Amino acid sequence: MSENGDNTLLCVLSIWKAFSTKEEKEKPIEEAYENLKLLEKELSGKRFFGGDSLGIVDICANFIGFWLGVVQEVTGLEFLTKGMFPNLSVWFDEFLGCSIVKESLPPREKLLRFFRARYGPTNPYT
C-alpha cells in the first residue's frame, strides 16, 4: 500500500479506537488528531489523495469522508471540523460529490438511525 494508504488506515484505526473505547480516551483522540494532520498535509493542493481523480486511497478513506460525520453527530465527539482540517473538509465535499460514491453509500439517515439505536441517549463514549 502507498504511504497515503498507510496513513489513511492508521487514521481510520485511531479514530475508531477513540470512539470505541469506554475508558481512557485522551491518548486515542490525540493519535487520531495526529493521523488526521498527516492526511490533511497529503491533500494540500490536491482534489483527491492521488491528484485530480478518485482513487483507491480515497475509497479507503470513505470512513473519514462519510461515516465519521454520522458517528460524530451521534456521539457528540468532533474530530473533523472545517477550521481544523480545511483540506480534508474540501476533500470530503469532493468525495461525496462524485456520482459513483453517491450511488454506493448507504443513505445517511439509515446510518444515523442505526448508530442512534446503538449509542443512543446513554452514549458511553461521551
Side-chain angles (χ1 to χ4, degrees):
M1 188 177 278
S2 71
E3 186 176 338
N4 284 349
D6 291 342
N7 290 343
T8 302
L9 181 59
L10 285 172
C11 190
V12 169
L13 292 174
S14 61
I15 291 170
W16 191 254
K17 185 177 177 182
F19 278 113
S20 62
T21 186
K22 293 180 183 178
E23 289 82 33
E24 166 61 41
K25 288 191 172 306
E26 209 167 291
K27 186 174 178 175
I29 288 172
E30 184 178 310
E31 289 174 9
Y33 276 119
E34 290 305 312
N35 288 316
L36 283 168
K37 287 178 189 175
L38 289 172
L39 295 182
E40 175 74 10
K41 184 178 176 184
E42 292 294 329
L43 282 166
S44 183
K46 296 189 264 184
R47 183 176 176 204
F48 295 104
F49 284 100
D52 287 333
S53 58
L54 190 67
I56 189 70
V57 176
D58 300 289
I59 294 167
C60 292
N62 89 72
F63 172 80
I64 299 163
F66 183 69
W67 296 76
L68 180 57
V70 171
V71 174
Q72 286 183 143
E73 184 175 330
V74 171
T75 63
L77 295 173
E78 269 194 9
F79 281 90
L80 185 60
T81 65
K82 288 183 181 192
M84 291 179 69
F85 300 103
N87 294 334
L88 278 167
S89 296
V90 169
W91 168 80
F92 171 73
D93 292 338
E94 290 283 343
F95 177 75
L96 291 180
C98 291
S99 60
I100 191 73
V101 172
K102 286 181 193 177
E103 295 168 10
S104 302
L105 292 173
R108 191 172 194 283
E109 286 303 315
K110 187 174 182 178
L111 280 178
L112 279 169
R113 282 193 306 273
F114 171 80
F115 281 106
R116 282 184 179 133
R118 181 171 179 155
Y119 298 115
T122 58
N123 179 1
Y125 303 106
T126 58

